[in-house]
Amino acid sequence: QVQLVESGGGSVQAGGSLRLSCAATGAMFSVYCMNWFRQAPGKERQGVARIHIRSGDTYYADSVKGRFTLSRDNAKKTLYLKMDSLKPEDTAMYYCAAVPSTSTWCSSASEGETYTYWGQGTQVTVSS
């Protein structure tokens, strides 16, 4: 059984930074495609950034390119999302999701319906 536990959310002012963590349990971490999604009230879920753990290939939504950075610690089975230059429009519940996959599949896996495992979410609030 795989569990994902997010942490690191909080409230910051615009221009500030946060680092989200997603700790995974279970085997096969190295073959996961892992994605951060976010959803604000009244809005659709949006894929923010994803990575194939083994290859290290990363993909970012246009809205966060240059501001958000993915990294991972394989020994800790933990994925990180460093968020800099935060904007009020980044305010949302952030979710970590994972699914075992090839790196090729992960390159196009932007939709939430394709992910098997989900965390409980962590709230990010950015004030202007």
Side-chain angles (χ1 to χ4, degrees):
Q1 184 70 17
V2 175
Q3 288 188 323
L4 303 175
V5 179
E6 302 102 329
S7 61
S11 297
V12 297
Q13 290 191 328
S17 298
L18 285 171
R19 189 179 78 159
L20 305 184
S21 300
C22 174
T25 62
M28 299 176 63
F29 179 73
S30 65
V31 300
Y32 286 167
C33 180
M34 298 189 73
N35 201 337
W36 285 97
F37 291 89
R38 66 186 181 187
Q39 188 164 23
K43 295 189 176 181
E44 291 187 355
R45 182 173 59 197
Q46 176 191 21
V48 175
R50 67 186 182 277
I51 184 172
H52 190 268
I53 297 298
R54 175 169 288 173
S55 69
D57 293 336
T58 55
Y59 310 89
Y60 297 92
D62 288 342
S63 58
V64 306
K65 278 181 182 176
R67 300 189 298 122
F68 290 12
T69 306
L70 286 166
S71 62
R72 83 276 197 207
D73 185 327
N74 288 1
K76 295 182 178 179
K77 295 183 181 180
T78 300
L79 175 69
Y80 303 99
L81 181 68
K82 180 70 186 309
M83 304 186 296
D84 296 315
S85 302
L86 282 162
K87 304 175 181 180
E89 51 264 43
D90 293 319
T91 295
M93 184 72 80
Y94 283 71
Y95 299 90
C96 175
V99 62
S101 83
T102 64
S103 59
T104 301
W105 184 90
C106 189
S107 66
S108 59
S110 60
E111 300 300 322
E113 289 75 12
T114 57
Y115 288 80
T116 305
Y117 307 110
W118 290 81
Q120 81 289 352
T122 186
Q123 178 68 37
V124 171
T125 302
V126 185
S127 58
S128 57

